[in-house]
Amino acid sequence: MWGQLVRVQDLSRVCPNCSSMLELKHRFVVPGGRFVEPYYWDTYFALEGVLRSGLHELATESIRNLLDLVTKHGFVPNGARVYYLSRSQPPLLALMVKLHYEFTHDASFVCEALPVLRREHDYWMDKHKVNVHVSDRVWELNRYFVDIDVPRPESYSDDYELARNVSSSDERRWTQVYADITAAAESGWDFSSRWVGEPDAPPERLLQTIRTRDVVPVDLNAILYQTEMAIAELAAVSNDPALAADFWRQAETRHEAIDAVMLDHESGLYFDYILSDQRQSRDFTAASLWPYWAFNATHSDQQTDSVFNYVNHILDSNPGGLPATLRTTGQQWDAPMAWPPQQYVAMQSALSTNHTHLAQRVAQMYVNSVFCAWYATGGSLAGI
């Protein structure tokens, strides 16, 4: 299977500066057969399988490509294309290096990667930081944020038309639309009712209310907590106790901020925070579970029981798996769509809180869904 998804870049037949591909020196895994370039957050989930398949060198090469991109550009672009250089994707690189170490115990690779991981963390803290005022305190968290005033090159006509549907003449509004639609693409959830101001708007108007930069996403901040914890652990591996202590402190501060800003104590769920409304969104999304994986069962049994009973209830009416949101809008990151990364996070969250049966249920439902889709579209195995 992996042979069908592994690529080696060959630009030898292309004139200099004639390809939109960013240079990659090593092998990589693409998220599907039609792609010729890797994508950032997809690579983490691929590596979970690559490493479990014993393909350690392929995993090393895949990570090296991303480290090279940070070294050259200061961050990992959305994908390895020139037109993605305006944005990143969920920052899972430190988790990839940690995962690699857990399988290979290669401390030298950790030492090589650590300065690059710090540089990427600096990028997210410099470009995406936001202050949130809650409970008479100012909490420092992060959001998806792209400072751009033109349509995305790969979707130019779509963005241009969307902006003109928002306003026929207000160039300031056009700029806001371009920045918010690109920030939504940076989230990996492109597109979803999570990022709009009017989630109940008719499907044809939904994205006209895009406001991604107004949202402080729960999953992004849980990922950055995991990033800070991973860098602390990797610093310990590289025998740098001062760096480890610094990132432990950053992680604990973020943990406190996420709980203060995003945790609804009544339901036990975490919600995105809306800056302009100064409130939690109160819309359940699959991202609501990410902190339970990140924090690794630091909540009471009663609270986690309530959360995962609710997830079981959602699964009762969604046989294809846990949907991205509970809103049906026609967007691909809304109901009834159940994406692999979200199933993975739901399973990890359940396992982290000792809800093993729920993790098994999510896994089995998704395997069933994938098999049925494969079979219904002509899938077959020789001799069966």
Side-chain angles (χ1 to χ4, degrees), residues 245-264:
D246 179 28
F247 273 87
W248 280 112
R249 285 191 295 269
Q250 291 188 55
E252 289 307 306
T253 299
R254 185 179 298 276
H255 188 166
E256 185 181 6
I258 292 172
D259 280 352
V261 174
M262 298 172 165
L263 175 61
D264 174 54

Side-chain angles (χ1 to χ4, degrees), residues 147-304:
D147 188 12
I148 193 171
D149 60 2
V150 295
R152 292 169 296 151
E154 76 279 13
S155 301
Y156 193 97
S157 60
D158 291 341
D159 293 359
Y160 182 91
E161 182 179 354
L162 175 64
R164 267 75 185 163
N165 286 335
V166 171
S167 172
S168 61
S169 59
D170 187 344
E171 294 185 12
R172 184 183 62 85
R173 287 291 293 122
W174 297 347
T175 297
Q176 291 173 347
V177 169
Y178 298 148
D180 281 317
I181 205 74
T182 307
E186 182 175 59
S187 77
W189 288 50
D190 43 335
F191 297 104
S192 168
S193 58
R194 284 182 75 186
W195 314 127
V196 303
E198 299 177 23
D200 294 319
E204 66 273 11
R205 284 195 57 250
L206 187 73
L207 292 183
Q208 295 178 28
T209 69
I210 191 84
R211 60 168 183 180
T212 312
R213 295 172 300 165
D214 195 33
V215 180
V216 183
V218 62
D219 46 352
L220 172 60
N221 284 281
I223 290 168
L224 285 169
Y225 169 84
Q226 291 174 297
T227 293
E228 289 153 357
M229 290 289 286
I231 293 176
E233 294 171 24
L234 296 171
V237 169
S238 66
N239 197 28
D240 190 339
L243 181 63
D246 179 28
F247 273 87
W248 280 112
R249 285 191 295 269
Q250 291 188 55
E252 289 307 306
T253 299
R254 185 179 298 276
H255 188 166
E256 185 181 6
I258 292 172
D259 280 352
V261 174
M262 298 172 165
L263 175 61
D264 174 54
H265 291 278
E266 182 177 350
S267 67
L269 291 167
Y270 288 86
F271 295 103
D272 297 333
Y273 188 84
I274 311 302
L275 292 168
S276 60
D277 295 341
Q278 296 184 321
R279 63 169 180 83
Q280 295 172 353
S281 72
R282 311 299 295 176
D283 269 14
F284 172 83
T285 75
S288 300
L289 302 179
W290 205 304
Y292 282 99
W293 172 31
F295 298 158
N296 197 24
T298 60
H299 299 79
S300 69
D301 289 341
Q302 183 177 2
Q303 183 170 316
T304 57

